[in-house]
Amino acid sequence: MNADYIIVGAGAAGCALAHRLSEDSRRKVILLEAGGADRDPFIHAPGGLMPLLMSGKHSWNYTSAPQTELNDRILFLPRGKVLGGGSSINGMIYDRGTPSDYDRWAALGNSGWSYADVLPYFKRAENYEPGGDALLHGHSGPVRISRPGVHNPLAKAFLQACEQAGYPYNDDTNGAAREGAGPVDMFVSAGRRWSAATAYIKPFRSRSNLDVRLGAHVLKILVENGRAVGVRVREKGQDLDLRADGEVILCGGGINSPQLLMLSGIGDASTLSQLGINPVSNLPGVGQNLQDHLSLYVKQAVTQSVSHYQYVSPLKGALALGQYLVLRKGPLASTGMEAVAYIRSQPNVTEPDIKLSLVLALMNDELTGLMPRHGFMAHVCVVRPHSRGQVTLASPDPQAAPVVDHRYLSDARDMVDFRNGIKMCRRIFGQAAFDPYRGDELSPGPSVQTDNEIDAFIRANANADYHTAGTCKMGSDDDSVVDARLRVRGIGGLRVADTSVMPTLVGGNTNMPAIMIGEKAADLIRERSHA
């Protein structure tokens, strides 16, 4: 079977790219996804996030290599394996990163990737329901973004406490300014998750030139005479070759895209040869430059029954379910996050490097269950990590999981930033706004006070934040994998378009930046401007 374009991976970037390329009815597009359909009702109900995470469904369920600086712990790394990819199983937080993230990419030699260059693609994708500045937000795109509002008294207290601690109120942390505390925006509309599949694929499945194939695990990129000509895919236990007359585009994300390149002989030639893989292009940077956010929770008990734990009771739980089924409103229409703060870990830092997301319930650190009491917690995330890791192959078997070694905290600056982030979170929780509600600090707890004690707590409790990036770095140096047009160096007809191309990780969540990359990749491939 032949197509003009074969896209590997139906995640945030892949769905956006498939939609835009198939707008040209003259071009045949095949979108391949190893996972299945997104019919699970827990995917579409925002309040179903917890059972979705607990089930492990719709995910590759990778684990990390033992992390030396985290007491040799092995971390859970769920990655989307379903139509919509991570956008179908993530926390639904809308976050672009900051303008400086993209200006930094351009300064590294990636022409066309400054904030001014990428802003039109964010706007083209967005249907930003809160309104906002029309110069900064789009209001007619396929991706619907809403604002649940700040209703819970704990969320209101958080915003007040941030101001009392010296952090300004910011009504749009994805707008003109990043720093401050304000309401959360979500990939939710009318009480339902708005995944990339919902936005870009489902309304257009009837396009005769768009072939979406689920349960299709790509085993290898087919390369002939230095050019990608197709892929080998396993469907229903059978292997078959699909040919691309135009291009093959990888949208598998920060783990799967470099894995597939290496399985196809594109990577460090000596390492591939040792695994018995015939090298077709020596690109030592494939799988290197791995970046991800590290996070943990500061947990606080409350003295009033105002957290989302109240919905655990049979009566209130039944009322919440009925409210959602009938009106698409109530706690099941929300993820339990209403407020967020972006702050600087030290006065000399020029841009926010700590993100605090308030969660209106207490969960265990693995997010697999609620703690049986009222309280809240802050998700503390260091959004500008200095540590770098790598993705490598465990074996030449395409079914084998790769080795993912983040090397978290291998750069000592990250520990300093994390420690300061916890101190700042405690300072916010200690403000007068929380006086009516504040109970005991449950984690780290009153026994953890000195720098050494905080560092030990971080090593024992921090976890991955599932924002893998950088492993197919965009650039022009010897370690780069793709150029500024996302073309794989040394191989014709092959591009990568997902978070793996980020030379540096954005200072926030990665779903919306991945969508932007898919949008921009379509114009690069079709050689048109964003207009």
Side-chain angles (χ1 to χ4, degrees):
M1 177 178 292
N2 281 47
D4 293 284
Y5 305 112
I6 295 176
I7 301 169
V8 181
C15 287
L17 179 59
H19 170 76
R20 295 302 181 190
L21 291 180
S22 63
E23 287 178 327
D24 183 349
S25 61
R26 300 168 299 174
R27 304 300 181 189
K28 170 82 172 181
V29 178
I30 295 177
L31 176 62
L32 301 172
E33 170 56 46
D38 59 340
R39 298 191 186 99
D40 190 330
F42 286 125
I43 288 177
H44 301 288
L49 177 61
M50 272 289 292
L52 196 64
L53 288 171
M54 291 169 64
S55 71
K57 291 181 180 178
H58 320 301
S59 174
W60 290 95
N61 292 326
Y62 293 136
T63 55
S64 75
Q67 295 299 289
T68 303
E69 300 298 325
L70 296 177
N71 299 343
D72 288 323
R73 288 186 295 126
I74 295 172
L75 308 183
F76 181 47
L77 305 174
R79 310 304 302 160
K81 187 181 181 183
V82 64
L83 184 63
S87 74
S88 290
I89 65 169
N90 66 9
M92 290 160 277
I93 298 293
Y94 165 75
D95 187 344
R96 287 181 178 177
T98 65
S100 62
D101 290 322
Y102 307 101
D103 290 339
R104 193 173 295 113
W105 294 1
L108 290 171
N110 296 298
S111 177
W113 288 93
S114 71
Y115 181 64
D117 293 318
V118 303
L119 178 59
Y121 295 103
F122 281 120
K123 292 174 64 177
R124 185 169 79 179
E126 292 177 356
N127 185 335
Y128 188 69
E129 296 173 8
D133 188 340
L135 295 176
L136 299 174
H137 289 291
H139 299 96
S140 59
V143 181
R144 295 186 184 177
I145 298 135
S146 67
R147 179 171 295 175
V150 181
H151 306 292
N152 187 279
L154 295 172
K156 293 178 181 178
F158 177 74
L159 296 183
Q160 293 169 2
C162 285
E163 290 194 85
Q164 291 168 353
Y167 308 116
Y169 177 77
N170 186 345
D171 191 60
D172 183 3
T173 54
N174 291 285
R178 180 66 152 181
E179 190 167 11
V184 169
D185 292 333
M186 309 290 292
F187 291 100
V188 174
S189 182
R192 292 177 64 84
R193 176 195 291 270
W194 208 259
S195 70
T198 301
Y200 286 105
I201 299 300
K202 288 187 175 180
F204 307 98
R205 286 289 289 269
S206 61
R207 287 178 179 170
S208 60
N209 65 327
L210 176 60
D211 183 7
V212 181
R213 305 177 70 151
L214 304 179
H217 186 175
V218 177
L219 308 177
K220 183 180 182 180
I221 303 161
L222 304 176
V223 179
E224 297 176 1
N225 300 318
R227 183 175 182 85
V229 297
V231 297
R232 181 160 296 152
V233 61
R234 181 165 295 165
E235 292 182 289
K236 299 178 180 178
Q238 300 295 316
D239 293 354
L240 67 153
D241 291 349
L242 304 177
R243 307 284 291 190
D245 295 330
E247 297 190 23
V248 175
I249 309 104
L250 306 190
C251 298
I255 295 176
N256 286 7
S257 284
Q259 179 194 26
L260 183 57
L261 286 174
M262 290 184 284
L263 288 169
S264 306
I266 302 168
D268 182 74
S270 61
T271 303
L272 295 177
S273 296
Q274 292 171 14
L275 288 170
I277 297 173
N278 180 41
V280 299
S281 181
N282 182 30
L283 282 181
V286 173
Q288 302 302 305
N289 192 46
L290 171 63
Q291 299 160 63
D292 198 351
H293 295 136
L294 191 64
S295 64
L296 53 67
Y297 294 94
V298 173
K299 302 177 184 179
Q300 186 80 42
V302 297
T303 57
Q304 299 186 40
S305 302
V306 291
S307 76
H308 277 208
Y309 184 64
Q310 62 186 293
Y311 302 112
V312 172
S313 76
L315 176 59
K316 286 192 174 183
L319 289 173
L321 178 60
Q323 189 179 18
Y324 179 75
L325 293 175
V326 175
L327 302 173
R328 289 288 186 267
K329 294 182 178 180
L332 288 178
S334 167
T335 60
M337 289 180 281
E338 296 179 358
V340 64
Y342 296 89
I343 59 181
R344 289 176 290 143
S345 63
Q346 300 179 71
N348 62 342
V349 174
T350 59
E351 56 191 343
D353 58 343
I354 301 294
K355 180 178 182 179
L356 304 177
S357 303
L358 189 74
V359 183
L360 299 171
L362 290 169
M363 291 182 280
N364 60 31
D365 289 341
E366 293 77 25
L367 302 182
T368 56
L370 283 171
M371 295 174 63
R373 64 185 302 173
H374 280 284
F376 62 92
M377 59 188 192
H379 176 267
V380 182
C381 179
V382 177
V383 297
R384 302 197 178 280
H386 300 280
S387 301
R388 300 290 185 266
Q390 63 179 4
V391 174
T392 55
L393 295 180
S395 85
D397 180 3
Q399 305 280 42
V403 179
V404 185
D405 187 359
H406 297 84
R407 297 175 182 165
Y408 282 125
L409 302 181
S410 57
D411 189 306
R413 291 174 290 179
D414 292 343
M415 180 64 88
V416 174
D417 294 343
F418 219 145
R419 184 195 311 141
N420 289 334
I422 291 174
K423 291 178 180 179
M424 297 167 80
C425 181
R426 282 173 150 175
R427 182 167 173 263
I428 291 170
F429 286 179
Q431 298 299 315
F434 277 116
D435 286 352
Y437 310 104
R438 189 186 306 106
D440 297 333
E441 181 184 280
L442 304 176
S443 178
S447 64
V448 178
Q449 297 297 330
T450 68
D451 286 356
N452 286 340
E453 290 167 345
I454 294 173
D455 292 356
F457 172 79
I458 292 169
R459 295 186 194 281
N461 293 279
N463 278 294
D465 216 24
Y466 318 144
H467 298 156
T468 51
T471 49
C472 297
K473 185 180 77 169
M474 174 171 54
S476 56
D477 60 9
D478 291 341
D479 294 328
S480 299
V481 177
V482 301
D483 65 14
R485 298 184 65 81
L486 307 183
R487 299 172 296 196
V488 175
R489 295 170 58 203
I491 300 290
L494 180 62
R495 300 194 204 219
V496 182
D498 55 36
T499 60
S500 69
V501 306
M502 295 180 175
T504 53
L505 180 58
V506 296
N509 297 44
T510 50
N511 189 63
M512 193 66 209
I515 288 173
M516 177 277 291
I517 290 170
E519 287 271 5
K520 183 172 172 64
D523 279 3
L524 292 173
I525 292 166
R526 296 173 66 177
E527 296 186 342
R528 66 179 188 181
S529 70
H530 59 75

